[in-house]
Coordinates of all heavy atoms in Angstrom, one line a residue:
H12 N 33.0 -11.0 9.4 CA 32.6 -12.4 9.4 C 31.1 -12.5 9.9 O 30.3 -13.3 9.4 CB 33.5 -13.3 10.2 CG 33.1 -14.7 10.2 ND1 33.3 -15.5 9.0 CD2 32.6 -15.5 11.1 CE1 32.8 -16.7 9.3 NE2 32.5 -16.8 10.6
E13 N 30.8 -11.8 10.9 CA 29.5 -11.9 11.5 C 28.4 -11.3 10.7 O 27.2 -11.6 10.8 CB 29.4 -11.2 12.9 CG 29.8 -9.7 12.9 CD 31.3 -9.5 13.1 OE1 32.1 -10.4 13.2 OE2 31.6 -8.3 13.2
D14 N 28.7 -10.5 9.7 CA 27.7 -9.9 8.7 C 27.8 -10.6 7.4 O 27.1 -10.1 6.4 CB 28.0 -8.4 8.6 CG 27.8 -7.7 9.9 OD1 27.0 -8.1 10.7 OD2 28.5 -6.6 10.0
A15 N 28.5 -11.7 7.2 CA 28.7 -12.3 5.9 C 27.4 -12.8 5.3 O 27.1 -12.6 4.1 CB 29.7 -13.4 6.0
G16 N 26.5 -13.4 6.1 CA 25.3 -14.0 5.6 C 24.4 -12.9 5.1 O 23.8 -13.0 4.0
S17 N 24.2 -11.8 5.9 CA 23.4 -10.7 5.5 C 23.9 -10.0 4.2 O 23.2 -9.7 3.3 CB 23.3 -9.7 6.6 OG 22.7 -10.2 7.7
A18 N 25.2 -9.8 4.2 CA 25.8 -9.2 3.0 C 25.7 -10.0 1.7 O 25.4 -9.5 0.7 CB 27.3 -8.9 3.3
S19 N 25.8 -11.3 1.9 CA 25.7 -12.2 0.8 C 24.2 -12.2 0.2 O 24.0 -12.2 -1.0 CB 26.1 -13.6 1.1 OG 25.8 -14.5 0.1
G20 N 23.3 -12.2 1.2 CA 21.9 -12.1 0.8 C 21.5 -10.8 0.1 O 20.8 -10.8 -0.9
L21 N 22.1 -9.7 0.6 CA 21.8 -8.4 0.0 C 22.5 -8.4 -1.4 O 21.9 -7.9 -2.4 CB 22.4 -7.3 0.8 CG 22.2 -5.9 0.3 CD1 20.7 -5.6 0.2 CD2 22.9 -4.9 1.2
F22 N 23.7 -8.9 -1.5 CA 24.4 -8.9 -2.8 C 23.6 -9.7 -3.9 O 23.4 -9.3 -5.0 CB 25.8 -9.5 -2.7 CG 26.5 -9.6 -3.9 CD1 27.2 -8.5 -4.5 CD2 26.6 -10.8 -4.6 CE1 27.9 -8.6 -5.7 CE2 27.3 -11.0 -5.8 CZ 27.9 -9.9 -6.3
N23 N 23.1 -10.9 -3.5 CA 22.3 -11.7 -4.4 C 21.0 -11.1 -4.8 O 20.6 -11.2 -5.9 CB 22.1 -13.1 -3.8 CG 23.4 -14.0 -3.9 OD1 24.1 -13.9 -4.8 ND2 23.7 -14.7 -2.8
T24 N 20.4 -10.5 -3.8 CA 19.1 -9.8 -4.1 C 19.3 -8.7 -5.1 O 18.5 -8.5 -6.1 CB 18.5 -9.2 -2.8 OG1 18.3 -10.3 -1.9 CG2 17.2 -8.5 -3.1
V25 N 20.3 -7.9 -4.9 CA 20.6 -6.8 -5.8 C 21.0 -7.3 -7.2 O 20.6 -6.7 -8.2 CB 21.7 -5.8 -5.3 CG1 22.2 -4.8 -6.3 CG2 21.2 -5.1 -4.0
M26 N 21.8 -8.4 -7.3 CA 22.1 -9.0 -8.6 C 20.9 -9.4 -9.3 O 20.7 -9.2 -10.5 CB 23.1 -10.1 -8.4 CG 24.5 -9.7 -8.0 SD 25.3 -8.8 -9.3 CE 25.6 -10.0 -10.5
H27 N 20.0 -10.1 -8.6 CA 18.7 -10.6 -9.2 C 17.8 -9.5 -9.7 O 17.2 -9.5 -10.7 CB 18.0 -11.6 -8.3 CG 18.7 -12.9 -8.3 ND1 19.5 -13.3 -7.3 CD2 18.7 -14.0 -9.2 CE1 20.0 -14.5 -7.5 NE2 19.5 -14.9 -8.7
L28 N 17.8 -8.4 -8.8 CA 17.0 -7.3 -9.2 C 17.5 -6.6 -10.4 O 16.7 -6.2 -11.3 CB 16.9 -6.3 -8.0 CG 16.1 -5.0 -8.2 CD1 14.7 -5.4 -8.4 CD2 16.3 -4.1 -7.0
G29 N 18.8 -6.5 -10.5 CA 19.4 -5.9 -11.7 C 19.2 -6.8 -13.0 O 18.9 -6.2 -14.1
I30 N 19.2 -8.1 -12.8 CA 18.9 -8.9 -14.0 C 17.5 -8.8 -14.4 O 17.2 -8.7 -15.6 CB 19.3 -10.4 -13.6 CG1 20.8 -10.6 -13.5 CG2 18.7 -11.4 -14.6 CD1 21.2 -11.9 -12.8
A31 N 16.6 -8.8 -13.4 CA 15.2 -8.6 -13.8 C 14.9 -7.3 -14.4 O 14.1 -7.2 -15.4 CB 14.3 -8.8 -12.5
L32 N 15.4 -6.2 -13.9 CA 15.2 -4.9 -14.5 C 15.8 -4.8 -15.9 O 15.3 -4.3 -16.9 CB 15.8 -3.8 -13.6 CG 15.0 -3.5 -12.4 CD1 15.7 -2.5 -11.5 CD2 13.6 -3.0 -12.7
G33 N 17.0 -5.4 -16.1 CA 17.7 -5.4 -17.4 C 16.9 -6.2 -18.4 O 16.7 -5.8 -19.6
T34 N 16.3 -7.3 -18.0 CA 15.5 -8.1 -18.9 C 14.2 -7.4 -19.3 O 13.8 -7.4 -20.4 CB 15.1 -9.5 -18.2 OG1 16.4 -10.1 -17.9 CG2 14.3 -10.3 -19.1
A35 N 13.6 -6.7 -18.3 CA 12.4 -6.0 -18.5 C 12.6 -4.8 -19.5 O 11.8 -4.6 -20.4 CB 11.8 -5.5 -17.2
L36 N 13.7 -4.1 -19.3 CA 14.0 -2.9 -20.2 C 14.4 -3.4 -21.6 O 14.0 -2.8 -22.5 CB 15.1 -2.1 -19.6 CG 14.7 -1.3 -18.3 CD1 16.0 -0.6 -17.7 CD2 13.6 -0.3 -18.6
T37 N 15.1 -4.5 -21.7 CA 15.4 -5.1 -23.0 C 14.1 -5.5 -23.7 O 14.0 -5.2 -24.9 CB 16.4 -6.3 -22.8 OG1 17.5 -5.9 -22.2 CG2 16.7 -6.9 -24.2
A38 N 13.2 -6.1 -23.0 CA 11.9 -6.5 -23.6 C 11.1 -5.3 -24.0 O 10.5 -5.3 -25.1 CB 11.1 -7.4 -22.7
L39 N 11.2 -4.3 -23.2 CA 10.5 -3.0 -23.5 C 11.0 -2.4 -24.8 O 10.2 -2.0 -25.7 CB 10.7 -2.0 -22.4 CG 10.0 -0.7 -22.6 CD1 8.5 -0.8 -22.5 CD2 10.5 0.3 -21.5
V40 N 12.3 -2.4 -25.0 CA 12.9 -1.8 -26.2 C 12.5 -2.7 -27.4 O 12.1 -2.2 -28.5 CB 14.4 -1.7 -26.1 CG1 15.0 -1.3 -27.5 CG2 14.8 -0.6 -25.1
F41 N 12.6 -4.0 -27.2 CA 12.3 -4.9 -28.3 C 10.8 -4.8 -28.8 O 10.5 -4.7 -30.0 CB 12.6 -6.4 -27.9 CG 12.2 -7.4 -29.0 CD1 13.1 -7.6 -30.0 CD2 11.0 -8.1 -28.9 CE1 12.8 -8.5 -31.0 CE2 10.8 -9.1 -29.9 CZ 11.6 -9.3 -30.9
F42 N 9.9 -4.9 -27.8 CA 8.5 -4.8 -28.2 C 8.0 -3.4 -28.6 O 7.1 -3.3 -29.4 CB 7.6 -5.4 -27.1 CG 7.7 -6.9 -27.0 CD1 8.3 -7.5 -25.9 CD2 7.3 -7.7 -28.0 CE1 8.4 -8.8 -25.8 CE2 7.4 -9.1 -27.9 CZ 8.0 -9.6 -26.8
A43 N 8.7 -2.4 -28.2 CA 8.4 -1.1 -28.7 C 8.8 -0.9 -30.1 O 8.2 -0.3 -30.9 CB 9.1 0.0 -27.9
A44 N 9.9 -1.6 -30.5 CA 10.4 -1.6 -31.9 C 9.5 -2.5 -32.8 O 9.3 -2.2 -34.0 CB 11.8 -2.0 -32.0
T45 N 9.0 -3.6 -32.3 CA 8.2 -4.5 -33.1 C 6.7 -4.2 -33.1 O 6.0 -4.5 -34.0 CB 8.3 -6.0 -32.7 OG1 7.9 -6.1 -31.4 CG2 9.8 -6.4 -32.8
G46 N 6.2 -3.6 -32.0 CA 4.8 -3.3 -31.9 C 4.0 -4.6 -31.7 O 2.8 -4.7 -32.0
G47 N 4.7 -5.7 -31.4 CA 4.0 -7.0 -31.2 C 3.8 -7.8 -32.5 O 3.1 -8.8 -32.6
S48 N 4.4 -7.3 -33.6 CA 4.3 -7.9 -34.9 C 5.0 -9.2 -35.0 O 6.1 -9.4 -34.3 CB 4.8 -7.0 -36.0 OG 4.8 -7.6 -37.2
A49 N 4.5 -10.2 -35.8 CA 5.2 -11.4 -36.0 C 6.0 -11.4 -37.2 O 6.6 -12.5 -37.6 CB 4.1 -12.6 -36.1
D50 N 6.2 -10.3 -37.9 CA 7.0 -10.2 -39.1 C 8.5 -10.4 -38.8 O 9.1 -9.8 -37.9 CB 6.8 -8.7 -39.7 CG 7.6 -8.5 -40.9 OD1 7.8 -9.5 -41.7 OD2 8.1 -7.4 -41.2

């Protein structure tokens, strides 16, 4: 109970970091495949 606030903050930080990295890697694959083309 005394560590609940820190653990929750760490959990949320890691979740957001994972979402940001996943989004960045997905965009990397997408733009590598398109080369920035509007086709």
Side-chain angles (χ1 to χ4, degrees):
H12 183 70
E13 58 272 3
D14 296 328
S17 297
S19 176
L21 180 62
F22 177 81
N23 285 320
T24 300
V25 170
M26 288 294 290
H27 285 100
L28 181 62
I30 291 168
L32 287 174
T34 302
L36 291 174
T37 301
L39 179 72
V40 171
F41 179 79
F42 288 113
T45 63
S48 173
D50 181 31

